[in-house]
């Protein structure tokens, strides 16, 4: 660590605050604009990003053209905690300009490595500094001086490059895992469409398409479905719908442990995330009828974001004593529908469309009523076919969940590794060799 020195951004990088807006003006040159969300959502800026088309004048192009090795940071935001988010420009991209609400840092390549710099700017101490010095009340922003005076500690350039290599290798592995998750999710979406419109025949295969064998299908108000399926109101397949509860705190009765309330955020992602379900322990009086249990099918009934109303999950491996919150519903099927089938049905494209149509409320709070849910029209195959459909989709769920667990572990490892490498707690000991990962 004694090789590390403290410096300011002004001493190791050229700092430019962009004023290029998103508008297009006659007489200006057409450009591609790297905007706030392009930086906020990506660690690396590459040509794979769909950049916005805009225009810029000659002076703006000369000053704010983005080059390989630049580090872009978010300069303005509605909250001080989204200030200073960095992204590294991985390659030269023709006609790409740094947009408004961003600052463009061009590192001195003799003093600092671009990836190392970006990772340092993402560290908690720097992020804390940015949030502290961001000026504003309803919108926050960094001044040129605040950016220039940012203090970071850096080791010799050779060690910076080795640290960057280690972290880039890990980022690449994370990116591949995220792409694999997206691939499985896309396959599942396509499979759900086929399974909920064609189903599975006695041989365990998808039925032939309606266009090829129309005699196998019946026409309904929602399209064509296998003729041996029932098509009815969802309420006909539900035993009941349990409403959640908005709790008040009570003294814990003797012999009863601490209870919590299931967060809506555990459901809005579209899959049950136990880590998101944890609340601060509250001394609540438990209500057995709304205790969250394994295999429960839970749905959001209200949210400030319309797209998050009607999100449905099936709970697995719940560990805490949790109750449903007031913005959640539990759908309990009768003997004619399996819980696993109900869960996947509620995620199907046809039901999602009906959810969107049935929503009510203002833009600040959208919701859906139990009566609307019961009136959804849905296909109901035999129990045996429900089993087969559920098992196929469950297999994809398990693949996706397995990769998400791997991804979460890698992110945790990356967080710890960044803390060690970027503070000098652990020294890089081996030479950098092509694409081999460095050891620390």
């Amino acid at each position: 660590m004694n090789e590390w020195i403290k410096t300011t951004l002004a001493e190791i990088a050229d700092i430019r605050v962009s004023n290029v807006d998103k508008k297009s003006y006659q007489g200006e040159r057409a450009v591609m604009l790297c905007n706030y969300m392009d930086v906020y959502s990506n660690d690396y800026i590459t040509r794979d990003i769909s950049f916005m088309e805009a225009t810029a004048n000659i002076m703006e192009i000369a000053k704010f053209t983005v080059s390989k090795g630049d580090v872009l940071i978010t300069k303005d935001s509605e909250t001080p905690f989204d200030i200073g988010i960095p992204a590294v420009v991985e390659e030269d991209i023709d006609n790409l300009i740094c947009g408004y609400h961003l600052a463009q840092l061009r590192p001195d390549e003799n003093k600092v490595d671009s990836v190392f710099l970006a990772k340092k700017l993402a560290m908690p101490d720097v992020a804390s500094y940015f949030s502290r010095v961001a000026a504003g009340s309803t919108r926050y922003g960094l001044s040129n001086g605040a950016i220039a005076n940012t203090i970071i500690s850096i080791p010799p350039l050779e060690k910076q490059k080795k640290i960057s290599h280690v972290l880039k290798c890990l980022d690449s592995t994370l990116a591949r895992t995220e792409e694999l998750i997206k691939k499985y999710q896309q396959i599942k979406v396509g499979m759900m469409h086929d399974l909920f419109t064609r189903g599975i025949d006695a041989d365990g295969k998808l039925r032939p398409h309606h266009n090829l064998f129309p005699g196998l299908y019946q026409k309904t108000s929602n399209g064509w479905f296998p003729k041996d399926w029932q098509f009815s109101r969802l309420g006909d397949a539900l035993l009941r719908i349990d409403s959640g509860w908005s709790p008040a705190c009570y003294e814990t009765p003797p012999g009863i442990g601490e209870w919590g309330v299931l967060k809506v955020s555990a459901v809005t992602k579209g899959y049950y995330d136990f880590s998101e379900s944890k609340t601060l322990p509250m001394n609540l009086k438990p209500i057995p009828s709304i205790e969250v249990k394994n295999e429960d099918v839970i749905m959001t009934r209200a949210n400030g974001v319309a797209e998050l109303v009607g999100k449905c999950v099936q709970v697995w491996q719940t560990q805490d004593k949790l109750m449903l919150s007031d913005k959640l519903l539990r759908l309990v099927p009768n003997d004619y529908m399996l819980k696993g089938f109900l869960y996947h049905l509620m995620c199907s494209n046809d039901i999602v469309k009906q959810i969107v149509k049935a929503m009510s409320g203002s833009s600040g709070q959208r919701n859906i009523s139990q009566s609307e849910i019961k009136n959804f029209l849905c296909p109901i195959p035999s129990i045996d076919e429900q089993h087969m459909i559920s098992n196929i989709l469950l297999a994809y769920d398990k693949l996706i969940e397995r990769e998400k667990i791997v991804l979460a572990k890698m992110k945790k490892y990356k967080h710890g590794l960044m803390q060690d490498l970027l503070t000098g707690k652990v020294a890089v000991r081996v030479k950098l060799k092509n694409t081999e990962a460095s050891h620390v």
Side-chain angles (χ1 to χ4, degrees):
M1 186 67 183
N2 57 356
E3 296 179 297
W4 291 55
I5 62 170
K6 287 187 176 181
T7 184
T8 64
L9 277 182
E11 294 174 312
I12 58 174
D14 176 41
I15 302 168
R16 308 172 187 182
V17 175
S18 177
N19 60 355
V20 183
D21 61 34
K22 298 180 180 180
K23 298 179 181 179
S24 294
Y25 300 97
Q26 190 173 4
E28 292 187 341
R29 177 179 165 185
V31 297
M32 304 300 293
L33 204 60
C34 184
N35 285 317
Y36 179 96
M37 288 306 300
D38 299 325
V39 172
Y40 186 87
S41 305
N42 298 283
D43 290 329
Y44 301 94
I45 302 299
T46 69
R47 63 181 71 253
D48 294 331
I49 297 173
S50 298
F51 299 107
M52 177 183 178
E53 295 182 1
T55 66
N57 60 45
I58 296 175
M59 294 296 293
E60 290 171 336
I61 293 171
K63 189 173 182 180
F64 298 115
T65 293
V66 173
S67 298
K68 178 181 178 181
D70 285 354
V71 176
L72 309 181
I73 64 171
T74 57
K75 188 189 77 70
D76 306 296
S77 184
E78 294 177 356
T79 71
F81 308 106
D82 290 330
I83 298 289
I85 306 298
V88 184
V89 180
E90 273 277 88
E91 53 190 336
D92 287 319
I93 304 171
D94 293 341
N95 220 23
L96 184 63
I97 305 296
C98 178
Y100 197 46
H101 299 309
L102 298 175
Q104 181 179 3
L105 313 181
R106 183 155 295 168
D108 183 336
E109 61 183 16
N110 294 316
K111 295 180 180 179
V112 65
D113 176 80
S114 296
V115 174
F116 180 88
L117 176 59
K119 300 300 183 185
K120 283 292 292 187
L121 294 178
M123 292 291 285
D125 59 331
V126 180
S128 176
Y129 165 78
F130 283 147
S131 64
R132 188 172 66 252
V133 300
S137 55
T138 59
R139 189 168 187 87
Y140 299 84
L142 292 173
S143 67
N144 290 28
I147 299 172
N149 291 326
T150 305
I151 297 175
I152 63 170
S153 57
I154 60 174
L157 186 59
E158 181 183 357
K159 289 194 174 183
Q160 293 179 38
K161 292 182 179 295
K162 293 177 181 179
I163 291 170
S164 296
H165 181 74
V166 172
L167 297 177
K168 281 189 70 175
C169 286
L170 188 53
D171 284 340
S172 295
T173 304
L174 286 167
R176 287 195 295 271
T177 304
E178 289 171 342
E179 285 300 317
L180 188 59
I181 291 172
K182 289 180 182 179
K183 177 182 177 182
Y184 287 148
Q185 289 172 331
Q186 290 169 353
I187 293 174
K188 181 188 172 184
V189 169
M191 185 60 70
M192 285 180 67
H193 177 267
D194 288 340
L195 290 173
F196 283 109
T197 56
R198 295 163 58 187
I200 300 174
D201 61 21
D203 296 325
K205 299 178 180 179
L206 283 171
R207 287 184 180 83
H209 197 275
H210 159 257
N211 292 338
L212 298 176
F213 289 87
L216 298 177
Y217 293 83
Q218 59 177 313
K219 189 174 183 179
T220 73
S221 58
N222 284 31
W224 291 90
F225 293 92
K227 67 178 183 180
D228 54 350
W229 287 12
Q230 295 183 36
F231 193 79
S232 63
R233 294 169 59 252
L234 180 60
D236 296 337
L238 294 180
L239 183 64
R240 67 179 189 274
I241 299 178
D242 296 331
S243 299
W245 173 57
S246 182
C249 291
Y250 296 86
E251 291 296 324
T252 304
I256 297 179
E258 295 177 325
W259 283 71
V261 177
L262 180 65
K263 284 185 177 181
V264 175
S265 59
V267 179
T268 52
K269 292 181 178 180
Y271 61 91
Y272 182 74
D273 185 346
F274 178 74
S275 66
E276 287 287 335
S277 74
K278 295 179 180 177
T279 62
L280 292 175
M282 293 184 289
N283 293 331
L284 300 176
K285 184 177 180 180
I287 302 175
S289 63
I290 58 170
E291 178 185 352
V292 178
K293 297 180 180 179
N294 284 340
E295 299 187 37
D296 277 351
V297 179
I298 296 178
M299 173 183 174
T300 60
R301 69 159 188 84
N303 201 281
V305 180
E307 290 79 8
L308 299 182
V309 176
K311 284 289 186 181
C312 195
V313 299
Q314 187 168 19
V315 176
W316 297 103
Q317 298 178 341
T318 183
Q319 299 173 27
D320 283 356
K321 295 179 178 180
L322 297 170
M323 291 177 284
L324 293 175
S325 72
D326 64 329
K327 293 183 180 179
L328 296 177
L329 300 171
R330 173 168 47 209
L331 309 183
V332 183
N334 58 27
D335 293 338
Y336 299 102
M337 184 174 286
L338 300 173
K339 288 184 178 180
F341 180 83
L342 173 61
Y343 156 58
H344 287 109
L345 175 67
M346 296 304 295
C347 298
S348 67
N349 187 54
D350 186 55
I351 294 295
V352 169
K353 288 180 179 178
Q354 294 184 66
I355 290 172
V356 172
K357 187 178 294 186
M359 273 192 294
S360 61
S362 65
S363 57
Q365 184 74 2
R366 306 300 301 277
N367 56 74
I368 188 168
S369 68
Q370 291 191 29
S371 60
E372 291 285 0
I373 295 171
K374 291 178 181 179
N375 281 327
F376 289 164
L377 296 175
C378 65
I380 306 177
S382 69
I383 290 293
D384 287 342
E385 195 167 349
Q386 289 182 40
H387 265 296
M388 290 188 288
I389 291 172
S390 298
N391 287 340
I392 291 173
L393 295 175
L394 181 60
Y396 281 102
D397 287 339
K398 288 182 176 179
L399 280 173
I400 293 168
E401 184 61 24
R402 183 186 66 193
E403 295 302 327
K404 284 180 177 177
I405 291 172
V406 171
L407 183 64
K409 288 180 178 179
M410 285 194 295
K411 285 183 176 180
K412 185 176 181 180
Y413 173 71
K414 176 187 172 182
H415 177 76
L417 191 61
M418 286 179 65
Q419 289 289 332
D420 289 342
L421 295 181
L422 295 171
T423 60
K425 183 177 180 180
V426 172
V428 178
R429 302 183 185 282
V430 299
K431 294 181 178 180
L432 192 65
K433 295 182 180 179
N434 300 326
T435 58
E436 296 179 6
S438 299
H439 299 281
V440 297

